Amino acid sequence: MLVSLESLKNFLIDARLITLRDFDAVMTEAGGDSRRAEDLLLSKGLLTEDDLRRAKSYILGIPFVNLSKERIPKEVLFLIPEPIARKHNIVAYKKGTDTLEVAMLDPLDLESIDFVKKGTGLKILPRLTDNESIKSILVQYQKSLKAEFGDLIQKESLAIKNQASGAPLEEPTGDDLKKLAEGLPVVRIVDSLLEHAIMQKASDIHIEPFENELVIRYRIDGVLHDAMILPKETASGIVARIKVLANLRLDEKRLPQDGRFKTTSHGANVSYRVSTLPIQFGEKVVMRLLPDSVHGLTLESVGFHGEGLEKIQKAIQRTTGMLLVTGPTGSGKSTTLYALLDILNTPDVNISTVEDPVEYQIKRVNQTQVRPDIGLTFASGLRTLVRQDPDIIMVGEIRDQETASLAINASLTGHLVLSTLHTNSAAGTIPRLLDLGAEAFLLVSTVEVIVAQRLVRKLCEPKEPYVMTEAELKSFGEKADLPKVLACLKKENIIKETDDWANITFYRPKELPESAHPDGYAGRLAIVEVLTMSRILREMIIKNATADDLNIEARKEGMLTMLEDGLFKAAQGLTSVEEILRAVTE
């Protein structure tokens, strides 16, 4: 929501919100760039974000509303779904006969207004509001969710507890467990837990029985949060219900079991990967939530940009060779591979995969689930795939010597092979493959690109701007090539040619206990390093160079390390420096 600098200057000085001297200094530093001038006014503490919005509201003639103490009726609030409200900072607060008044941080966001208009069929009247109001309304969404699900769960849990209070102390078995799993209270509790987890955008649900209680936790943006605590009497029924859904054995409590099931929520199919594990006070259950489709997922949305993105796009245009994605468990490797498959998935190619498990279903892709218990391993599956005339093969993970050997041979015999490994860096992938028995001369003939990545949490509004001190810059300069990162920022037009680290605005989260995101983060993106095989690197591999030597040469050839890519994204305001350091030092 931009206004002319002259109009903004006149209003701010007339309202005595800033001095002429301070504004002129900002104008000079911004070089006449309106957006840059606004960022400087905020980062230097000369104005608050809400003061700036109010000023613009007055200049543009858009009404301002303060909703920080308003209670919005549920039927009006939910006219705009929570994900849309959170993403676009737009909330409904007053409904007329054929009109809907919405409060926004940017009333000139015509795309969001048009989206809400199509969804409601009402005439939209945009109003400007502040961060505090948006935050207050988003909390009301969460309170509505808790009222809807929390009360139901507690009520049904109490019913189960009352039924169990007069029953014997023995754990239910056999037919009793089946009746419990099909009982209305347990069905309602499990359905509500699943629905609530989807709305909270959880990636995992942890159900953990302890001596006196059952703890339910959700993993949201990579961090576990307590969702609710239920009476211990509910544990048997809830676990039994999940076993029924996942087609697991109800009477087997001594051994771990794995299964999966699927539900539909708000028109979207969600798959659940279920794992049970016997622990001291019962069975722990962990469910991984997996949306059935990843259509439309792009490399840019994952976190790739600039030269790294170009290198990957060039590599997947080849018809042979290997592209490897590495990182620890939970670093988004599978998501990156599926994004690549989505790009490659055209009618003129045959794509086949061997996975453990099949996390997302992709149309027109032949996906095979590994079943070690019956002899269908990565190696045996891959051996068969090569005889199925595929153009592109995706191997879920290279775990052993046989799989590594078959993947390399497949890439040598006219296939493009995509796969993952567990290594800490892109350069560390080569020694790992050599350790698995791969021959160096075969690696240099097949491996084209290696991607290493980690996931970091994304900052959400409101966030606190600041500029790095000389001491902080010096500390980063010992671990990262700051001039190279600065050059990348300028090359991709993130900052101006005249900018330096001393005047680049970084952001840190504002922790707000009453917010829907109290820690200041929402969503995740990848920080990556992309190593492309060059002639020099191939020669070094033949000579048994170490991972450190390969890393030094790759950086000389222009590779941004994960730390450097993190600084790039922190300079964009996407994440915080603290989050980058947490991810790369884990």
Side-chain angles (χ1 to χ4, degrees):
M1 187 172 67
L2 291 175
V3 299
S4 73
L5 283 175
E6 193 61 32
S7 300
L8 186 62
K9 173 183 176 181
N10 292 336
F11 178 84
L12 293 177
I13 292 170
D14 287 345
R16 297 184 179 180
L17 291 171
I18 193 172
T19 65
L20 178 60
R21 180 180 176 183
D22 285 341
F23 195 92
D24 285 343
V26 167
M27 288 272 284
T28 302
E29 191 174 340
D33 185 326
S34 297
R35 191 174 296 280
R36 177 69 177 153
E38 291 179 11
D39 288 342
L40 287 170
L41 287 170
L42 297 175
S43 63
K44 291 177 180 293
L46 298 171
L47 282 180
T48 65
E49 287 187 27
D50 289 338
D51 282 341
L52 185 59
R53 284 200 185 91
R54 287 172 185 267
K56 290 182 179 181
S57 170
Y58 184 85
I59 294 167
L60 296 171
I62 298 171
F64 183 90
V65 292
N66 184 345
L67 303 175
S68 58
K69 296 181 181 178
E70 295 290 323
R71 180 72 186 172
I72 312 300
K74 186 178 174 182
E75 60 273 14
V76 175
L77 180 68
F78 280 90
L79 285 172
I80 300 178
E82 186 197 9
I84 302 299
R86 187 177 305 286
K87 183 176 180 181
H88 297 284
N89 290 306
I90 176 171
V91 293
Y93 71 95
K94 187 185 290 186
K95 183 179 179 296
T97 307
D98 58 355
T99 62
L100 181 67
E101 293 187 44
V102 298
M104 310 173 67
L105 294 183
D106 182 4
L108 301 183
D109 182 357
L110 301 180
E111 187 179 344
S112 297
I113 292 170
D114 188 52
F115 182 87
V116 174
K117 181 181 179 181
K118 288 177 181 176
T120 61
L122 300 169
K123 181 182 178 182
I124 305 302
L125 305 176
R127 306 288 186 252
L128 183 69
T129 193
D130 53 21
N131 273 312
E132 193 64 29
S133 295
I134 292 289
K135 180 188 71 176
S136 171
I137 304 305
L138 291 178
V139 169
Q140 289 183 35
Y141 275 103
Q142 299 305 309
K143 288 180 178 176
S144 296
L145 286 174
K146 286 181 181 176
E148 187 174 344
F149 295 104
D151 290 352
L152 171 64
I153 289 170
Q154 294 296 343
K155 177 183 174 184
E156 301 299 345
S157 299
L158 187 62
I160 293 171
K161 185 176 181 179
N162 289 338
Q163 289 173 15
S165 60
L169 293 175
E170 290 85 7
E171 281 283 316
T173 56
D175 291 339
D176 290 336
L177 266 179
K178 190 172 182 182
K179 287 179 184 176
L180 197 56
E182 294 172 352
L184 198 56
V186 168
V187 171
R188 282 177 176 167
I189 289 174
V190 173
D191 287 351
S192 299
L193 283 174
L194 299 181
E195 186 80 4
H196 193 221
I198 293 169
M199 289 189 170
Q200 294 283 349
K201 296 186 178 178
S203 61
D204 301 83
I205 305 172
H206 289 237
I207 300 172
E208 302 165 319
F210 293 100
E211 187 174 8
N212 299 311
E213 61 194 14
L214 179 70
V215 177
I216 313 292
R217 297 197 287 173
Y218 295 155
R219 188 177 295 280
I220 302 170
D221 295 336
V223 179
L224 277 171
H225 302 269
D226 279 5
M228 53 195 74
I229 296 174
L230 304 179
K232 65 176 181 179
E233 290 83 3
T234 61
S236 297
I238 290 173
V239 172
R241 175 61 184 167
I242 293 168
K243 283 183 173 181
V244 167
L245 291 172
N247 200 25
L248 302 179
R249 288 181 57 187
L250 280 175
D251 57 347
E252 181 56 81
K253 300 182 181 181
R254 300 168 301 166
L255 295 172
Q257 297 188 72
D258 293 301
R260 63 189 302 155
F261 65 95
K262 188 182 295 186
T263 66
T264 300
S265 174
H266 303 288
N269 291 328
V270 180
S271 291
Y272 299 82
R273 197 170 80 207
V274 180
S275 171
T276 70
L277 177 71
I279 60 174
Q280 186 176 4
F281 297 108
E283 287 181 277
K284 177 184 176 181
V285 178
V286 176
M287 291 183 280
R288 167 69 58 87
L289 280 67
L290 302 163
D292 259 14
S293 173
V294 290
H295 182 70
L297 187 65
T298 65
L299 292 173
E300 290 89 344
S301 66
V302 171
F304 291 90
H305 62 91
E307 288 188 12
L309 178 61
E310 291 172 11
K311 289 174 181 177
I312 292 178
Q313 289 173 333
K314 186 177 179 181
I316 62 176
Q317 288 171 6
R318 298 175 60 91
T319 55
T320 62
M322 288 181 71
L323 190 151
L324 301 171
V325 184
T326 74
T329 302
S331 59
K333 300 187 297 297
S334 296
T335 302
T336 297
L337 282 186
Y338 282 115
L340 291 170
L341 288 181
D342 199 40
I343 296 168
L344 293 166
N345 191 11
T346 57
D348 57 336
V349 295
N350 178 358
I351 302 176
S352 296
T353 75
V354 188
E355 305 172 61
D356 184 22
V358 175
E359 294 192 4
Y360 304 105
Q361 294 175 6
I362 309 176
K363 289 181 180 178
R364 300 178 68 96
V365 172
N366 308 294
Q367 297 173 269
T368 301
Q369 167 75 54
V370 167
R371 292 280 304 278
D373 54 322
I374 59 171
L376 179 53
T377 62
F378 277 117
S380 62
L382 182 52
R383 192 180 291 109
T384 303
L385 272 192
V386 176
R387 297 195 290 270
Q388 290 272 315
D389 187 34
D391 299 293
I392 298 162
I393 298 172
M394 193 266 267
V395 184
E397 185 184 340
I398 295 177
R399 295 177 181 172
D400 52 48
Q401 181 176 352
E402 189 178 8
T403 308
S405 175
L406 287 167
I408 290 168
N409 285 324
S411 65
L412 283 169
T413 54
H415 306 93
L416 178 63
V417 178
L418 313 178
S419 191
T420 71
L421 261 86
H422 283 86
T423 62
N424 291 325
S425 66
T429 305
I430 299 299
R432 173 65 180 144
L433 286 169
L434 292 172
D435 186 52
L436 285 173
E439 297 286 352
F441 71 92
L442 292 177
L443 288 181
V444 299
S445 304
T446 55
V447 177
E448 296 295 332
V449 170
I450 302 171
V451 177
Q453 66 180 63
R454 300 285 189 280
L455 291 180
V456 295
R457 292 178 293 169
K458 293 164 67 175
L459 286 168
C460 61
E461 294 290 351
K463 50 191 178 185
E464 183 182 336
Y466 71 99
V467 177
M468 274 204 204
T469 64
E470 285 188 20
E472 288 172 323
L473 288 171
K474 184 179 178 182
S475 174
F476 275 109
E478 295 170 357
K479 308 168 191 172
D481 188 340
L482 294 183
K484 183 165 66 177
V485 179
L486 191 67
C488 289
L489 287 165
K490 291 177 181 178
K491 185 176 180 180
E492 296 185 38
N493 297 317
I494 307 299
I495 60 174
K496 301 177 97 176
E497 281 295 329
T498 54
D499 284 340
D500 201 351
W501 287 112
N503 57 14
I504 292 177
T505 303
F506 288 85
Y507 295 88
R508 56 170 65 99
K510 279 189 178 178
E511 295 189 8
L512 302 166
E514 293 301 315
S515 167
H517 299 288
D519 54 4
Y521 295 99
R524 291 190 290 176
L525 80 160
I527 55 172
V528 301
E529 57 187 37
V530 182
L531 184 152
T532 304
M533 282 295 173
S534 65
R535 180 183 58 81
I536 297 175
L537 285 170
R538 294 181 201 277
E539 289 174 357
M540 291 174 69
I541 292 168
I542 292 293
K543 295 175 182 176
N544 291 321
T546 65
D548 287 341
D549 290 336
L550 294 173
N551 188 58
I552 290 168
E553 177 58 31
R555 293 182 69 183
K556 283 181 185 176
E557 295 177 7
M559 181 186 80
L560 285 178
T561 65
M562 281 182 282
L563 176 60
E564 289 163 352
D565 187 53
L567 284 172
F568 180 96
K569 292 180 169 79
Q572 288 181 282
L574 298 175
T575 188
S576 67
V577 170
E578 293 80 8
E579 183 67 7
I580 299 300
L581 292 174
R582 181 192 67 81
V584 297
T585 56
E586 279 183 342

